[in-house]
Amino acid sequence: MRRLAEACERIAGTTKKLEKIAIVADYLKSRAPEEAPVSAVFLGGRPFPAWEETTLQVGGSLLWKVVAELSGKSDQELTAVYRRHGDLGAVAAEVLPERRAGDELSVVEVQNCFHQIATARGPAAKSALVRELLSQASSLEAKYIVKIITGDLRIGLKESLVEEAIAKAYGGTLAEVQRANMLLGDIGDTLRFAAEGKLGQARMRLFHPLGFMLASPAESAEEALSYFENAVVEDKYDGIRAQAHVSDGEVRIFSRTRDEITESFPELPDALAGLPDDVILDGEIVAWSYLAGETGRALPFSALQQRLGRKKVSDEMMRRVPVAYVVFDVLYANGELLIDRPLRARAQLLDGLLAAERKLVEPRSREAQGQLRFEPREATTAKVIRSPLFVAASPENLDRLFEAAQERGNEGLMIKDPESVYTPGRRGKSWLKLKRELATLDVVVTAVEYGHGKRIGVLSDYTFAVLDGERLVNIGKAYSGLTDAEIAEMGKWFLEHTVEDQGFRLIVEPKIVIEVAFNNMMRSDRHESGYALRFPRIVRIRTDKLPEEADTIERVREIYEGQSSN
Ligand code: AMP
């Protein structure tokens, strides 16, 4: 662990990408075969490989308490140190006493402790194990143990650079390493394959989620059609992104954060289990009115919201808010990974797969009839629906499709390049999204304040930030547009994840992403970003997004410049 921490210090000490890669490559090569894979996982900022569902469930406040106890510092003293560093790992390095003499701690031992912490139940048991681990570490080791627990090393190293370092250290091209890592979902295993010269033998792990391909925003129909020919167009459904893995009748569904969400949608596995083949599908789960017209239609996101975050879903809830899985892509079928095939070919395969599924449609349920909203003609009860495809050759075509999509209750359009391959985890210009509210930003909550008037004593005012490189810079503050129940629930989370209590204001762990709408944007030095928003309002909590996926300062500049030239 000492060597890893020292390497991290050197990585933090240079801004040059190539130097960082070289340091990682040298370090990994210098490690014993059983240590290098674990080190690669840690360098990616994770306690466990990506595909493992294990989580530590150790929040900032628990760590804070342990560091306070071990150092004997008061809250005030710790807060003063935290202000200087803005990072709990750096605080630990400064205040923790040096290790008592004894054996060195290896990365494998640290990961074993992480496993124990993950399986321990309750904060007291977890605290005891974290305390034990930190007291065996030197202050420099503790710095990086704390950072790994919080899931962010903050040394300007992403997993993509670790991939480059593996290619450099063990041979193999970067593309081969990236592909193996994507298939295995484990940078440590990827390193093992590379070290043994077997990158080509890495195989897909079904039931371990792949990254999701992401879309870039287009500001207008003209722009949306400017990047490629023969655009394929789909409605943009306002639900939650979901990747379904199906094999031998077993079904698992994963969210965009790669968490398993199968339990939240008990009606979907049965519908998917009937597929003729082992598959991985990509689509959107939406609240669905089955009796609207021939094919049914999507209901607003607010309807779906009642179903989210529940472990147990009652029959009553399933009847009240029925859902459908609208599928728009297939990533694996016939024993073959399809992501390198063009969308055109994937779409055709998907048509075939879901046509077979449609034959398994159940008869219309009695309960559903009670929810009649529209004149029913052969209403569908298929819970897995192939998203309809359109083509658009001109901006006028696209505008008409946009209006039709909105009339169907959808958010806007997705415009896709039929020749494009599926790029997991990347946002490119092969998929573009055209939305109604152009001016919304996905931002990260950095601080919360107690409200006034009716919301006195309630954490209802959120300060939020956009990404500037790896840093977060505040851009605004909004009174929550959330419901009282949501505010109360979020308030609880924030209290548990406070890193600094300033009395009326809590600095919180930057983990929660919210979508904010606003009327326009101004230059202002009120916030660190140099911009401020006019009439910001919170549209919703983006539980499906990680803080790294928030909008960037570049996008803020684009919006600002776009509005001033109009
Ligand atoms: P946003 O969440 O605003 O960044 O927009 C991208 C999201 O739109 C994707 O992650 C999907 O969850 C969602 N989406 C809705 N309909 C589609 C579609 N037809 N194709 C791809 N993504 C879609």
Side-chain angles (χ1 to χ4, degrees):
M1 191 68 209
R2 174 175 61 81
R3 300 270 211 108
L4 179 93
E6 285 167 1
C8 286
E9 290 284 285
R10 288 205 300 282
I11 296 162
T14 171
T15 53
K16 296 203 183 83
K17 209 176 112 184
L18 288 179
E19 276 180 29
K20 287 182 193 277
I21 294 170
I23 298 168
V24 176
D26 284 345
Y27 163 73
L28 289 175
K29 264 204 311 206
S30 75
R31 304 320 300 151
E34 71 281 5
E35 284 207 348
V38 181
S39 300
V41 172
F42 286 178
L43 286 168
R46 300 175 193 275
F48 307 112
W51 66 267
E52 269 190 38
E53 278 150 36
T54 329
T55 51
L56 290 170
Q57 286 177 313
V58 170
S61 56
L62 190 151
L63 274 174
W64 181 273
K65 281 197 203 112
V66 172
V67 172
E69 274 172 37
L70 285 174
S71 65
K73 298 268 186 237
S74 70
D75 245 8
Q76 256 171 350
E77 287 168 309
L78 269 195
T79 304
V81 184
Y82 186 83
R83 288 237 172 97
R84 247 184 301 123
H85 296 288
D87 175 274
L88 201 47
V91 173
E94 183 168 326
V95 302
L96 291 184
E98 262 314 315
R99 177 203 357 239
R100 36 178 207 245
D103 289 341
E104 281 217 9
L105 198 57
S106 77
V107 288
V108 175
E109 285 164 331
V110 173
Q111 198 176 50
N112 288 341
C113 290
F114 284 162
H115 274 117
Q116 285 173 9
I117 295 170
T119 43
R121 289 188 171 252
K126 285 183 192 283
S127 291
L129 289 163
V130 173
R131 205 177 308 127
E132 177 62 26
L133 173 60
L134 290 182
S135 58
Q136 289 170 43
S138 70
S139 55
L140 184 62
E141 289 167 339
K143 175 174 180 178
Y144 287 95
I145 291 173
V146 168
K147 281 168 181 269
I148 294 166
I149 294 177
T150 60
D152 192 353
L153 295 180
R154 301 209 197 178
I155 53 172
L157 187 73
K158 295 205 197 91
E159 196 169 271
S160 59
L161 295 188
V162 182
E163 289 174 337
E164 288 196 47
I166 290 175
K168 188 173 157 63
Y170 303 99
T173 64
L174 175 59
E176 284 168 335
V177 175
Q178 284 171 336
R179 192 181 165 84
N181 191 25
M182 185 196 67
L183 293 174
L184 298 167
D186 185 339
I187 190 83
D189 267 356
T190 302
L191 182 146
R192 269 188 212 106
F193 274 81
E196 291 166 19
K198 296 195 306 202
L199 282 171
Q201 291 173 29
R203 288 285 165 269
M204 181 70 219
R205 282 187 164 132
L206 247 102
F207 301 118
H208 300 304
L210 294 169
F212 288 82
M213 176 155 177
L214 303 171
S216 299
E219 304 291 329
S220 64
E222 285 76 14
E223 189 202 337
L225 293 177
S226 65
Y227 299 101
F228 42 80
E229 307 272 305
N230 307 319
V232 171
V233 183
E234 292 161 13
D235 283 13
K236 183 174 192 299
Y237 299 90
D238 199 6
I240 58 162
R241 186 80 176 268
Q243 191 178 96
H245 291 226
V246 183
S247 173
D248 272 342
E250 185 180 351
V251 175
R252 287 206 211 165
I253 306 173
F254 299 95
S255 73
R256 209 170 122 166
T257 39
R258 306 199 192 188
D259 296 308
E260 192 179 340
I261 51 170
T262 324
E263 280 187 333
S264 305
F265 302 102
E267 58 269 73
L268 295 180
D270 283 350
L272 285 162
L275 283 169
D277 200 2
D278 288 0
V279 288
I280 300 179
L281 302 174
D282 187 8
E284 189 92 353
I285 296 176
V286 282
W288 197 259
S289 163
Y290 279 94
L291 297 174
E294 264 179 56
T295 47
R297 64 183 270 151
L299 296 172
F301 184 80
S302 51
L304 183 68
Q305 215 149 20
Q306 309 172 46
R307 291 276 310 254
L308 301 181
R310 287 170 189 269
K311 279 261 147 86
K312 281 255 168 295
V313 184
S314 64
D315 290 349
E316 200 269 322
M317 181 55 97
M318 280 194 269
R319 271 197 299 274
R320 192 146 54 87
V321 188
V323 297
Y325 182 34
V326 185
V327 182
F328 45 75
D329 222 317
V330 54
L331 313 185
Y332 179 88
N334 304 321
E336 195 192 331
L337 191 67
L338 303 167
I339 58 172
D340 292 335
R341 301 256 205 111
L343 172 62
R344 200 165 26 78
R346 300 197 309 272
Q348 221 172 20
L349 259 156
L350 184 61
D351 289 343
L353 281 168
L354 292 190
E357 199 277 337
R358 272 196 202 117
K359 294 201 194 102
L360 301 172
V361 161
E362 338 155 1
R364 211 164 87 202
S365 68
R366 281 183 163 279
E367 292 81 1
Q369 292 183 14
Q371 301 181 0
L372 203 64
R373 281 159 207 266
F374 297 85
E375 199 54 41
R377 288 177 293 160
E378 279 185 65
T380 178
T381 52
K383 298 204 165 64
V384 181
I385 297 168
R386 203 265 187 258
S387 132
L389 290 184
F390 307 95
V391 284
S394 67
E396 293 72 37
N397 285 164
L398 207 56
D399 282 339
R400 263 201 301 281
L401 286 173
F402 190 88
E403 277 164 27
Q406 292 206 327
E407 267 162 34
R408 284 188 284 269
N410 296 325
E411 215 188 348
L413 296 176
M414 298 289 303
I415 299 104
K416 300 182 178 176
D417 181 356
E419 301 307 321
S420 60
V421 299
Y422 190 97
T423 48
R426 306 255 159 81
R427 192 186 299 283
K429 299 279 189 201
S430 311
W431 284 16
L432 299 159
K433 54 186 177 194
L434 199 56
K435 291 205 260 186
R436 182 177 23 207
E437 285 251 32
L438 290 178
T440 76
L441 283 173
D442 291 335
V443 294
V444 184
V445 180
T446 53
V448 291
E449 284 176 41
Y450 290 99
H452 307 279
K454 143 170 160 332
R455 296 205 156 147
I456 202 151
V458 179
L459 287 166
S460 60
D461 301 4
Y462 299 175
T463 300
F464 46 77
V466 291
L467 285 169
D468 183 3
E470 299 209 335
R471 241 160 39 99
L472 284 166
V473 287
N474 285 344
I475 187 161
K477 196 171 119 173
Y479 303 103
S480 175
L482 305 170
T483 62
D484 287 349
E486 281 176 309
I487 295 176
E489 194 178 322
M490 291 311 300
K492 239 174 83 201
W493 189 94
F494 287 129
L495 284 172
E496 282 162 11
H497 295 81
T498 296
V499 287
E500 188 189 330
D501 188 343
Q502 301 178 334
F504 73 102
R505 191 165 191 258
L506 307 176
I507 308 292
V508 296
E509 282 178 40
K511 293 270 167 68
I512 302 291
V513 181
I514 53 175
E515 184 178 354
V516 288
F518 52 92
N519 288 18
N520 52 40
M521 194 183 272
M522 297 149 295
R523 295 237 47 152
S524 153
D525 48 21
R526 183 149 34 111
H527 302 293
E528 209 190 343
S529 61
Y531 295 87
L533 309 177
R534 191 163 169 75
F535 300 132
R537 49 205 178 269
I538 299 174
V539 184
R540 61 163 123 145
I541 308 170
R542 297 285 318 239
T543 40
D544 60 326
K545 278 204 171 178
L546 295 169
E548 308 78 278
E549 296 175 306
D551 278 310
T552 59
I553 191 79
E554 283 79 11
R555 168 139 161 78
V556 169
R557 279 189 205 116
E558 267 170 38
I559 296 176
Y560 179 75
E561 276 153 27
Q563 78 178 10
S564 44
S565 64
N566 282 336

